[in-house]
Amino acid sequence: IYLVPLCTEGRRPLLGELCGDSPARAHVRPSELGREVLRCWEAIPAIQRDLAAQKSLRTHTTCHRDIELLGCQLMPDHFHGIIFIQQPMDIPLGQVVWGFMAGTTKAYHAMIESAITPTVRLHLETVLRSANLPTSLLTSQPLWEKGYHDRPLTRKGQLQTMIAYLHDNPRRLFVRRHSARVFELRRGVQVGAQVFDAMGNHALLQRPLHAVHVRRRFSGQERRAYMNACILAARQGRVLVGAFISEYEQQVRAVALREGHAVIQLTTDLLTDYYKPSGELFDACGRGQVLLLSQRTTLDSFSRRITRAECNTLNTLAEEMAGVNSLSPPHPPPQ
């Protein structure tokens, strides 16, 4: 099972428009091109079965292209689809996706062609020739960005989570558009001696901070006491700061956000212009409860796991920001 995301070239909102007067009512109304994209998507299984049958007759071998579509979401400037490859195929998945991209691009060019009147066409061709450019540029503009990243779903429960995420995209876009200030990416934000890319509520940096780092050496009793101390600090007005990598640190963050407290999240994510926080951080960011800080400047590996060295670096940064000596116990052990 693969998640296949595709973005329009230059992120042009060609596929539809966001409609609705509230997050709960947000939805995307497809454009004519968007409707054609959906039609081409739904046709993938039948097209690939026919192509496989033709190849089987031609080569006297059995070719399998059993594909099931498990979900999709059209957005103004991108498209998400989930494909289930039911058994090994005679072609790579990329060839299936390329066929979809080629078919939708052909439809896009046909729409451009039909929208250009003879007078406008003559004028545009004259302009292109005067610039020593081929007139084929009129209808050769790409619909999609080059390349894509297909992401395999490998864990139990991941499919339903991904389908829910896709269907939640319009609501998230509504929230982003109506809370644009907190989702604005700022680069070169100075925090002490460190420089970060940042997204979220920058005013949180002006408040007292409390580092969250649940150490492995803690006993069960020490861990519970420490987690309770972190929540108490949040209730007293301190902003919790940390990498929130371990399950216990994530539990602290979840309780703090649920109670309406603030969090500064140190992350190894690459913050781009199109970056969106995931999970509970997204809505909390929209409410002004979160600030994301990252020092990552290149996407050197698309979906790699965070390393232990990176964990240690982030935890040390959190403690430095909160004025904690990382060599000292974070709180007195429970009596």
Side-chain angles (χ1 to χ4, degrees):
I1 299 177
Y2 294 87
L3 171 67
V4 178
L6 298 171
C7 297
T8 60
E9 178 71 19
R11 289 285 187 143
R12 293 167 295 160
L14 301 173
L15 308 180
E17 62 176 328
L18 182 70
C19 302
D21 56 7
S22 69
R25 297 166 64 91
H27 63 280
V28 174
R29 179 187 298 145
S31 63
E32 181 183 357
L33 177 59
R35 288 192 293 272
E36 183 63 17
V37 167
L38 291 173
R39 188 197 67 77
C40 290
W41 173 258
E42 292 166 358
I44 286 177
I47 289 174
Q48 292 301 326
R49 280 197 302 269
D50 289 345
L51 291 175
Q54 293 172 24
K55 184 175 179 181
S56 295
L57 288 173
R58 190 172 62 252
T59 62
H60 304 290
T61 58
T62 302
C63 298
H64 296 288
R65 298 186 193 177
D66 297 323
I67 295 173
E68 183 179 352
L69 306 178
L70 302 183
C72 70
Q73 179 62 56
L74 185 80
M75 297 298 290
D77 61 359
H78 65 277
F79 176 83
H80 289 290
I82 301 178
I83 292 181
F84 179 21
I85 307 299
Q86 297 175 323
Q87 60 179 309
M89 299 194 301
D90 63 302
I91 59 172
L93 173 62
Q95 193 167 328
V96 175
V97 177
W98 179 87
F100 168 72
M101 295 171 70
T104 51
T105 299
K106 182 178 179 180
Y108 172 52
H109 291 165
M111 291 177 187
I112 294 176
E113 184 80 25
S114 64
I116 299 177
T117 65
T119 302
V120 171
R121 170 176 287 281
L122 181 61
H123 171 70
L124 293 176
E125 288 178 348
T126 301
V127 170
L128 289 171
R129 289 193 186 98
S130 65
N132 293 320
L133 295 172
T135 57
S136 60
L137 285 177
L138 281 177
T139 55
S140 63
Q141 190 173 19
L143 171 58
W144 305 107
E145 287 183 351
K146 291 182 179 179
Y148 73 97
H149 295 285
D150 56 69
R151 173 181 166 188
L153 308 186
T154 57
R155 299 189 301 275
K156 185 177 180 180
Q158 196 174 12
L159 174 60
Q160 292 307 316
T161 299
M162 186 56 64
I163 291 175
Y165 169 79
L166 295 194
H167 292 166
D168 194 41
N169 261 236
R171 184 192 69 84
R172 290 162 59 88
L173 179 58
F174 185 98
V175 172
R176 285 197 74 186
R177 288 187 176 178
H178 289 78
S179 306
R181 185 175 178 183
V182 291
F183 287 105
E184 178 186 359
L185 175 61
R186 300 188 193 178
R187 302 195 184 278
V189 174
Q190 188 87 28
V191 182
Q194 304 293 330
V195 178
F196 298 92
D197 289 343
M199 177 182 292
N201 184 358
H202 293 257
L204 299 183
L205 290 170
Q206 308 306 316
R207 291 170 50 183
L209 306 181
H210 181 91
V212 178
H213 179 195
V214 179
R215 287 164 169 78
R216 291 186 177 186
R217 67 173 182 267
F218 286 174
S219 66
Q221 184 181 8
E222 288 176 323
R223 183 171 60 247
R224 287 190 295 272
Y226 178 74
M227 294 169 68
N228 289 335
C230 290
I231 296 301
L232 179 60
R235 291 171 179 168
Q236 293 172 343
R238 291 183 174 272
V239 177
L240 302 185
V241 55
F244 300 103
I245 295 166
S246 76
E247 61 175 308
Y248 304 110
E249 292 164 354
Q250 291 174 10
Q251 288 173 19
V252 170
R253 183 183 65 190
V255 172
L257 294 178
R258 187 166 61 246
E259 292 186 359
H261 308 307
V263 166
I264 295 178
Q265 170 91 41
L266 301 178
T267 178
T268 57
D269 289 349
L270 176 64
L271 304 188
T272 68
D273 293 335
Y274 298 106
Y275 178 85
K276 298 185 292 291
S278 60
E280 63 189 355
L281 289 179
F282 178 85
D283 289 305
C285 189
R287 295 191 297 267
Q289 290 176 253
V290 170
L291 176 65
L292 300 173
L293 297 177
S294 174
Q295 292 183 318
R296 190 171 183 182
T297 57
T298 59
L299 190 60
D300 49 14
S301 180
F302 179 65
S303 59
R304 67 173 175 80
R305 293 179 177 273
I306 187 171
T307 66
R308 181 171 177 78
E310 287 171 331
C311 292
N312 292 334
T313 297
L314 293 180
N315 286 326
T316 300
L317 278 175
E319 291 166 352
E320 290 176 353
M321 290 173 61
V324 175
N325 182 348
S326 62
L327 299 180
S328 303
H331 68 93
Q335 300 298 319

